[in-house]
Amino acid sequence: MAAAQRDGSLDALFRPRSVAVIGASRQRGTIGAEVFHNLVASGFTGPVYPVNPAARSIQSVRSYASVSEIPDHVDLAVIVVPKERVLSVADECRAKGVRGLVVLSAGFAEVGPEGRQLQDRLVSLVRGAGMRLVGPNCLGILNTDPEVRLNATFAPTWPAPGPVAIASQSGAIGVALLDYAKELGLGISQFASIGNKADVSGNDLLSYWENDPATRVILLYLESFGNPTRFMEIARRVSRTKPILVVKSGRTEAGARAASSHTGALAGADVAVDALLGQAGVLRADTIEELFDVAMFLANQPVPRGHRVAVLTNAGGPGIMATDACESHGLEIASLSPETRSALRAALPPEASVANPVDILASASARTYEETARLLLSDESVDSLIVLFVPPIVTEASEVAQAIRRAGTAASKPILTCLLGTHGIPPAVATLREGRFPSYAFPESAVKALARGIQYGRWLQRRVGTQPDLHGIDLDRARSALSALTVPDGGSSWLPADAVREFLAAFGLRMPRSRIAADVASAREAAARIGFPVALKLHSRKIVHKTEVGGVHLHLRDDRDVERAFSAIRESLERRSLLEAFEGVVVQEMVTGGVEMYVGVTQAAGFGALLAFGTGGVAVEVFRDVAFRVHPITDVDAEEMLQQVRGKVLLEGFRGGPRCDKAALLDAILRVDRMIAEFPAISEMDINPLVALPEGAGVVAVDARIRLAGAATSPYAALGATAEYEPDREDVA
């Protein structure tokens, strides 16, 4: 897929020729004063104009009463005035021809409905004038490009230039990110604190940085998604050329609704985030520290081609720690070739270990490190090298660091280092990082960063998925089936069983032959028509989980079994005071053989429809063997869902059983995804069990239920919108 052109409208923000600070102050320590000071101190390559009607000059620079009085053109205006004045100032900027605004002022959507109305008016003004806006309620933006040197923030840190772009939804976290990057010596290309995301969003920045030659890695701190479908589309494309790393806060959801479907119960508050990021090839870090650990690796070293790791150490303990960490993260300790082992024996003392991890002993010199590293990197069975060093008395850390740089300079394989200890280490770490070799305090940190890099490499190697044509779908028949249920606005209802059968059939999914019976005589007659053995199931629009109320009886072989099962269902409901929910029974053909799986749908607030696939049956919520993906999915997504569940071994001829029809399972997952695309009113669905029959025999949806939501008032209802939903610019266009 061809990359999109860089959004030139953001050049007014990140590459302005001139900047005005409206609300600049003479009093250092105030936001207006610090922003102006940072712009001047960073060496911005264009003119900076302070605007303050109460001052003749700001920090020895002539001040103007308003932006309109500035005699020259202004590209970017940084607004630091009380919220009541922001709109009038923005209007003055419109009249002046300013193309970009950074509004640092707070008091907008983050404070409530009144602030949201003010923010909506600001956005309307900005978009009507063709301007772009970062904020409000933000820290600002910066660009370290020597041709620009823009620091339009009030952060105390001016980072070194480098290959990492950062976007933060939180200003406070943004300050921490800049500070930590400087501490690690990780250079920054551009930074944006997007605040309320009223106009410029994370999606806009991804598109912009995709074609920024100075940016190789993108870091995001997010608290919410605007348009998740658009994010997945953009991030999936960008990730093909540049790694995207994300820390997403808000893993828990207090007061989450009690879901009535299996899928809803299994889909925790954070499942949709993991699914979305995984589908887009985005790496999710649990902490800021991990975010930078991975960034240091991917910004400086090649992406690993495989998961085979060599460990080089001068002490046994750290080598064992690295080995354990590799195994716990699914990495393989490489089996060195006989040629490599022979060369190592010739180069190392007899006491050294030439197995992997390679322990060259505490007496090893810098030259020994260099020679051993070269040998390991040349081994075809090694994909990555982790070098550990514990400073002994006889060897200087700085010498070892230089040796590692020499050995790795021409290598095409990634190298990560870990220098344990304190004395003499900081200069050595600096030497390594200057040579673009990431260095970590502990072996486990290096291994975890490597594991994320390998994860990204695997994603790059995966086939680009498609949405295949699905034959045998009758949309008119499906609409007719759904018309059997009228759902009130703002409400939801379960589709009747016969309508569910008809709807699934319209999408090419087969259910067992069945009939609804209101009494025993009808049940006997239905069983005779279908043919024994049969199953008897409660028919009720009020009770969803039939097994929990004794509403399912299987393997009924004659009329007497049918009569007993019918009576048992009624008696079970009566004991639970639920008899009023009894609407008869469903007499169903018994499906024997095969493996019980399930496919489901639920709505995740802010993400839209979430698909689930896993091991089915009555214990689905107990074993929780399930994979999730955000709609829409591709054929590759469906394949990965099947591979992700542990129950896949049951489909492959487990303990002499027949191999099941996995192709039909994949087809069923894609058909459910198509259902959601065509009928977004589906709020919940469970097909459980979906029995996978032997190869070539297809699948059968033994039981299914579908809940429909009534017409919603929000235009973003199909995205599972909440009050916090913020549409991206692309949504409004």
Side-chain angles (χ1 to χ4, degrees), residues 301-302 374 377 403-415 435 437:
Q301 290 290 297
R374 290 184 189 277
L377 289 168
I404 295 170
R405 284 185 60 168
R406 290 192 297 270
T409 297
S412 60
K413 299 175 182 179
I415 301 172
F437 295 98

Side-chain angles (χ1 to χ4, degrees), residues 317-646:
I320 295 171
M321 292 169 64
T323 300
D324 289 344
C326 284
E327 292 185 356
S328 67
H329 285 90
L331 310 186
E332 178 185 334
I333 297 299
S335 297
L336 303 179
S337 70
E339 294 79 9
T340 299
R341 293 166 71 101
S342 177
L344 289 172
R345 287 192 189 95
L348 298 176
E351 299 82 7
S353 170
V354 299
N356 195 10
V358 177
D359 184 354
I360 57 178
L361 307 178
S363 58
S365 65
R367 182 178 178 181
T368 303
Y369 260 98
E370 182 176 350
E371 292 177 350
T372 307
R374 290 184 189 277
L375 287 171
L376 293 174
L377 289 168
S378 65
D379 193 321
E380 291 298 323
S381 66
V382 173
D383 298 313
S384 305
L385 173 63
I386 296 176
V387 181
L388 311 175
F389 175 73
V390 179
I393 298 174
V394 296
T395 307
E396 289 290 338
S398 58
E399 294 176 2
V400 171
Q402 292 288 355
I404 295 170
R405 284 185 60 168
R406 290 192 297 270
T409 297
S412 60
K413 299 175 182 179
I415 301 172
L416 299 87
T417 68
C418 172
L419 277 60
L420 289 86
T422 56
H423 179 66
I425 292 296
V429 169
T431 297
L432 288 167
R433 289 176 177 170
E434 287 167 5
R436 298 184 58 184
F437 295 98
S439 185
Y440 303 89
F442 300 102
E444 296 88 347
S445 300
V447 170
K448 194 168 186 179
L450 176 60
R452 292 306 183 97
I454 291 170
Q455 177 188 340
Y456 177 61
R458 286 172 176 162
W459 190 86
L460 290 177
Q461 294 166 12
R462 82 200 278 266
R463 179 172 61 86
V464 176
T466 61
Q467 292 177 312
D469 292 332
L470 301 172
H471 303 290
I473 295 177
D474 187 339
L475 294 179
D476 289 336
R477 183 181 179 186
R479 291 188 193 96
S480 177
L482 295 189
S483 68
L485 182 66
T486 301
V487 185
D489 287 356
S492 64
S493 300
W494 293 98
L495 199 64
D498 52 349
V500 170
R501 165 185 290 276
E502 184 70 6
F503 182 77
L504 294 186
F507 276 89
L509 291 180
R510 177 168 66 95
M511 294 191 75
R513 291 176 296 148
S514 65
R515 289 174 176 267
I516 295 175
D519 51 41
V520 172
S522 300
R524 287 198 304 266
E525 180 183 352
R529 286 179 174 272
I530 292 170
F532 291 102
V534 297
L536 216 65
K537 302 178 180 180
L538 168 66
H539 176 49
S540 172
R541 282 169 290 188
K542 295 181 179 179
I543 299 174
V544 178
H545 299 302
K546 297 180 283 290
T547 55
E548 294 179 1
V549 295
V552 177
H553 292 258
L554 307 177
H555 303 291
L556 309 181
R557 301 192 174 278
D558 51 34
D559 285 349
R560 185 181 294 270
D561 284 350
V562 170
E563 292 171 4
R564 282 198 289 259
F566 190 97
S567 298
I569 291 173
R570 283 187 57 92
E571 290 169 4
S572 178
L573 293 178
E574 190 171 15
R575 286 195 302 272
R576 293 173 169 82
S577 300
L578 295 173
L579 194 56
E580 62 178 16
F582 181 79
E583 299 178 55
V585 296
V586 176
V587 183
Q588 190 176 77
E589 167 193 6
M590 278 296 304
V591 176
T592 57
V595 175
E596 292 186 344
M597 307 301 287
Y598 101 101
V599 180
V601 176
T602 190
Q603 294 291 329
F607 292 87
L610 195 62
L611 275 80
F613 170 79
T615 306
V618 295
V620 60
E621 291 178 32
V622 175
F623 297 115
R624 306 181 75 85
D625 181 24
V626 58
F628 287 93
R629 295 295 185 275
V630 175
H631 166 79
I633 67 169
T634 67
D635 54 347
V636 172
D637 292 323
E639 291 166 7
E640 289 178 344
M641 291 175 82
L642 193 151
Q643 290 301 317
Q644 188 176 332
V645 299
R646 298 185 301 277

Side-chain angles (χ1 to χ4, degrees), residues 149-348:
R149 296 188 63 85
L150 173 76
N151 187 359
T153 76
F154 55 94
T157 301
W158 171 247
V164 178
I166 301 177
S168 175
Q169 200 168 336
S170 162
I173 295 295
V175 172
L177 294 174
L178 292 173
D179 284 345
Y180 198 36
K182 187 171 185 178
E183 179 183 331
L184 294 175
L186 187 64
I188 304 300
S189 58
Q190 296 176 13
F191 166 85
S193 163
I194 51 181
N196 291 3
K197 301 190 299 180
D199 176 42
V200 173
S201 67
N203 289 353
D204 292 311
L205 294 171
L206 284 178
S207 296
Y208 186 71
W209 289 332
E210 176 183 9
N211 294 288
D212 176 33
T215 296
R216 291 200 302 268
V217 177
I218 300 170
L219 308 187
L220 305 176
Y221 170 77
L222 299 176
E223 295 172 352
S224 65
F225 289 91
N227 183 338
T229 303
R230 180 72 173 141
F231 175 87
M232 182 161 61
E233 174 189 338
I234 296 170
R236 182 180 276 160
R237 184 185 71 233
V238 176
S239 290
R240 286 287 165 188
T241 57
K242 299 182 180 183
I244 303 172
L245 314 178
V246 169
V247 167
K248 167 66 172 66
S249 61
R251 283 187 174 273
T252 60
E253 183 180 340
R257 68 179 176 85
S260 52
S261 69
H262 289 303
T263 311
L266 290 166
D270 208 42
V271 164
V273 176
D274 282 337
L276 178 75
L277 298 179
Q279 285 169 255
V282 176
L283 300 176
R284 184 177 190 181
D286 294 324
T287 64
I288 299 295
E289 181 179 19
E290 183 188 347
L291 182 79
F292 278 97
D293 282 349
V294 182
M296 279 199 304
F297 173 42
L298 292 177
N300 293 296
Q301 290 290 297
V303 176
R305 292 193 291 263
H307 68 294
R308 300 169 301 176
V309 183
V311 178
L312 169 59
T313 180
N314 67 342
I320 295 171
M321 292 169 64
T323 300
D324 289 344
C326 284
E327 292 185 356
S328 67
H329 285 90
L331 310 186
E332 178 185 334
I333 297 299
S335 297
L336 303 179
S337 70
E339 294 79 9
T340 299
R341 293 166 71 101
S342 177
L344 289 172
R345 287 192 189 95
L348 298 176

